[in-house]
Every structure is written in C-alpha cells, then in structure tokens.
Amino acid sequence: MYAQMVKTGVSAVKTREEMSEQERAFQARIDAGEKIEPKDWMPDEYRKTLIRQIGQHAHSEVVGQLPEGNWITRAPTLERKAILLAKVQDEAGHGLYLYCAAETLGISRDEMIEMLHAGKMKYSSIFNYPTLNWADIGAIGWLVDGAAIMNQVPLQRTSYGPYSRAMIRICKEESFHQRQGYDIMMKMAAGSPEQKAMAQDALNRFWYPSLMMFGPSDKESVHSAQSMAWKIKINTNDELRQKFVDQTVPQAEYLGLKVPDEALRWNEDKGGYDFSEPDWNEFFEVLRGNGPCNRDRMRARVKAWEDGAWFREGLLAHGEKRAARRLKTAA
Ligand code: BYC
C-alpha cells in the first residue's frame, strides 16, 4: 500500500530546434542566470519537476523528524535533549518553507500530503532506516545532515526563486545540525570502548544509506539531464556523492573510526577517493516501499494527519467566524 513508484529510463532534453519560441525565451532566461518567479511563464514539465522535487524534499523534512524524534525522550542529558528537540523542530520548519515554496506552483499542501500518503510522492530513502541507539543520532547529524548540506548548498542557486530563497535559510540551520551530530560522535568516539564501538556500529549502518541520499548513479538518473538544463539541479548525483565522500573520510579518520569500505583509497590522479558504490538493489527496494521502516513511517504520518483533523477543522471554522465578523462590522 505504501510502495513508492520507481521509474527507469533517462529523460530526453529538447534541442533548441525542438523548442517552441516561448520555450527558447524561457531557456535563455535560465542560461542568463535569471530567477524564475511564480507568475512567470514556465513549461509544464518545469513546473511538474519542481513540484515533484520540492514536494519530496518537504516530505523528507517532515518524515525525517520520526527517526530522531524517537530519541528525544531518551537523550542522555538535559542539554542533549534540548538540542535534539530544537533540531527536530527546525526540520518541521524546513518542511513548512518547502511546502510554501511548492504551493507557489499551484498545488496545495493538502494535495501533496494526500499524494505522499497514497504512495504517489516519495521522501528520502534514508528515513526508512531505524535509529537503534544514541550513536545513531550522532551519525544522522554528521552523515545525513552532512549529505543534505552537500546537496542543498548548490540548490541555493537553483533557478526557481522561492525554492532558492527557502534553501538559503535551510542551509544555515543544516550546518548547525551537522555540527551537533559530529559533536555527539566526538564524545562517543573518545568515550569508553563500548561507546566507541556504538559509534563505529552507527557509522557502519549509516554509511551506505547516506551515499544513497544523492540518488541513483548518473547513468540511472531519470531526471538529471533535464533538471540540470533548467538549473533546477546544479550538480549530478555522482558529483555530489564524490564530494561527500572526500569531505567525510577525513572526518571519520579524526574520530578514529573506520569507513566500512575495503575498497576506499585516495586516488592522486583524480584528487578524490575511490570508493564502493552502495547496493543499488537495496536502494530501489527501499523506494518500492520495502525498506526496514517504510511501513512504520507512513503509518505514523497517516495517524498524525488523521489525529490532527479536528484541529485543522477548528482553525478553519475559527478563521471563517472571524472573517464573517469583520464583514459584519465593515457593513
Ligand atoms: N530517496 O532521476 P533521479 C534532510 C528518486 S531531507 C528517495 O536522480 P532527481 C533531512 C527520484 O525522486 C533530504 N527517492 O531524481 C531531513 C526519482 O523518482 P521519481 C532531502 C529518490 O530528482 C530531516 C528516481 O529516484 N533532500 O536532509 O533528479 C532530518 C530517479 O532519481 C532518492 C532533498 O530532497 C532518494 N535518496 O534527483 C535530517 C533534496 N534519490 O521522482 C535531514 C532535493 C532519487 O521520478 N532533491 N530518488 O518517482 C534532490 O536534490 C533530488 O531530487 C535528488 C534526486 C538528488 C534526491
């Protein structure tokens, strides 16, 4: 019931000759680095791609609260609890900015949420993995938010104005999230042998799922070519994955932890690490709804949505009452 659709086959990009006059003028604006704003003309596919990407991104922020929320009541100190609570609240805020950005494209937040619940929209694969112990909260901040920053910093320059502006604010908060995760890892890695083993175990379990966050390899990526031509995406999936590995391996070394990849080697010629690809079968299985936590995550979101119905209805009724009162006093 909660399977997410999986498409294959790389999308074709129109040549200038194949474009209409309007499409050519639009592409010229993109090429000149102009931002596209909600009331500007845009091709239907550009609009659809943005709704898909921004909507998925918003859902990821909201579903992403679940694995971390699981540890708020069990954080080891009052300080850690307050920090984690603030981080999880930030994710709700990110979801809000992104839903608002998507709404400027002519879809409502309710419609997107219904599509998510019906398995017609995705959220990031990473949130279908469980958080088994406190070190996982460190690994999420360090690796998952680290991967998110790598992906989202370039998105600040994305061609759609409202998305680009939402990303600027989100990125500021993400760097704090990444640092709080690394701080947990530093504490655990420098702690007792048992704590260091927990940190290593968390790295072992979250390494490959974090690499999957950047999406399939470039040759399997359906949307990259067109999204890059429209500057919706600025880098390919593999480019960002490589940058993430190059940035993260020295951080693991500093912690005294081992990246779980026997093939990991510095490659002098390319100026980056050679590394093993994640298991792409596992990735596509997670996208099909068969990851370890897909069903739990969707059950939790659907329940929260249904439990909140009375509150949404109450807010609407209150708004209507106030509007009616204003009309009466104005008359
Ligand atoms: N998970 O053609 P491709 C966070 C899908 S939240 C699930 O390369 P695209 C955080 C893809 O949608 C982080 N699905 O796609 C929150 C497509 O399927 P559809 C979220 C994935 O869009 C709380 C198919 O695979 N960040 O950081 O060009 C706490 C083919 O892929 C994934 C964003 O959403 C995946 N990992 O590139 C802590 C960033 N990867 O739609 C942290 C914005 C691919 O055709 N999004 N798919 O059915 C993007 O940058 C791009 O959408 C992606 C994928 C790089 C993710």
Side-chain angles (χ1 to χ4, degrees):
M1 155 156 111
Y2 299 127
Q4 303 189 343
M5 294 173 302
V6 182
K7 285 185 224 129
T8 50
V10 175
S11 62
V13 180
K14 276 189 191 173
T15 61
R16 278 188 66 76
E17 291 66 41
E18 287 165 335
M19 288 178 192
S20 67
E21 196 58 41
Q22 223 169 5
E23 286 169 337
R24 264 196 293 275
F26 177 81
Q27 189 64 50
R29 291 189 62 196
I30 301 266
D31 294 343
E34 278 181 42
K35 291 276 179 254
I36 307 300
E37 296 298 337
K39 290 190 176 151
D40 296 347
W41 183 87
M42 60 186 85
D44 277 351
E45 277 304 314
Y46 177 85
R47 186 184 299 276
K48 275 194 209 146
T49 303
L50 280 169
I51 291 176
R52 181 184 60 80
Q53 181 166 320
I54 305 173
Q56 275 181 19
H57 195 163
H59 296 326
S60 306
E61 300 283 354
V62 173
V63 178
Q65 293 180 99
L66 295 172
E68 290 181 296
N70 188 30
W71 281 88
I72 291 173
T73 53
R74 289 178 283 166
T77 66
L78 183 61
E79 194 189 6
R80 292 286 185 203
K81 189 186 183 96
I83 295 170
L84 184 58
L85 196 57
K87 178 186 191 293
V88 172
Q89 282 176 346
D90 282 354
E91 309 300 358
H94 297 176
L96 270 184
Y97 312 152
L98 288 162
Y99 282 127
C100 289
E103 282 187 317
T104 64
L105 291 154
I107 185 165
S108 73
R109 181 168 154 187
D110 286 8
E111 281 173 281
M112 286 182 275
I113 290 175
E114 275 162 23
M115 286 168 77
L116 171 72
H117 294 172
K120 291 182 184 154
M121 274 183 100
K122 294 185 170 68
Y123 58 90
S124 182
S125 50
I126 189 73
F127 302 118
N128 293 305
Y129 291 85
T131 41
L132 303 178
N133 64 45
W134 177 250
D136 289 8
I137 298 304
I140 288 191
W142 171 35
L143 301 173
V144 175
D145 288 271
I149 294 171
M150 196 54 84
N151 168 284
Q152 290 171 188
V153 164
L155 287 178
Q156 294 176 106
R157 290 181 283 119
T158 191
S159 59
Y160 188 57
Y163 190 25
S164 135
R165 291 188 285 275
M167 290 319 307
I168 292 171
R169 182 144 175 203
I170 290 175
C171 283
K172 287 190 182 138
E173 292 173 354
E174 294 291 12
S175 44
F176 147 75
H177 295 172
Q178 200 263 354
R179 276 158 58 190
Q180 69 84 36
Y182 197 68
D183 189 61
I184 295 175
M185 293 306 274
M186 284 207 295
K187 201 85 180 166
M188 302 284 289
S192 65
E194 289 80 6
Q195 285 172 317
K196 187 165 183 185
M198 279 166 73
Q200 180 64 56
D201 175 54
L203 171 58
N204 292 350
R205 282 179 292 105
F206 276 94
W207 176 253
Y208 288 104
S210 300
L211 297 188
M212 293 175 193
M213 284 178 71
F214 298 96
S217 71
D218 290 353
K219 54 184 186 307
E220 298 274 342
S221 171
V222 184
H223 305 289
S224 282
Q226 181 61 79
S227 288
M228 289 177 72
W230 277 330
K231 295 190 186 161
I232 290 174
K233 275 169 86 163
I234 309 295
N235 301 91
T236 73
N237 300 354
D238 286 338
E239 278 168 11
L240 292 175
R241 198 171 1 256
Q242 178 72 54
K243 282 176 93 170
F244 173 74
V245 172
D246 294 345
Q247 173 185 282
T248 311
V249 171
Q251 294 171 349
E253 282 166 359
Y254 182 78
L255 292 172
L257 300 179
K258 190 176 177 316
V259 171
D261 180 357
E262 291 305 327
L264 187 77
R265 299 264 180 294
W266 177 256
N267 180 332
E268 198 60 54
D269 294 339
K270 78 171 181 189
Y273 286 91
D274 289 332
F275 59 95
S276 305
E277 295 270 310
D279 176 350
W280 292 119
N281 288 331
E282 176 182 321
F283 171 75
F284 285 114
E285 273 308 300
V286 172
L287 260 56
R288 286 191 188 96
N290 300 324
C293 297
N294 294 58
R295 284 167 189 80
D296 282 354
R297 300 294 184 237
M298 274 306 102
R299 213 176 289 125
R301 286 311 315 154
V302 170
K303 181 173 184 313
W305 184 247
E306 287 171 355
D307 289 353
W310 68 271
F311 186 73
R312 292 191 300 277
E313 282 159 19
L315 270 182
L316 278 177
H318 181 64
E320 279 160 18
K321 214 162 74 181
R322 282 174 59 123
R325 205 180 296 144
R326 263 200 309 272
L327 270 180
K328 220 160 121 189
T329 32

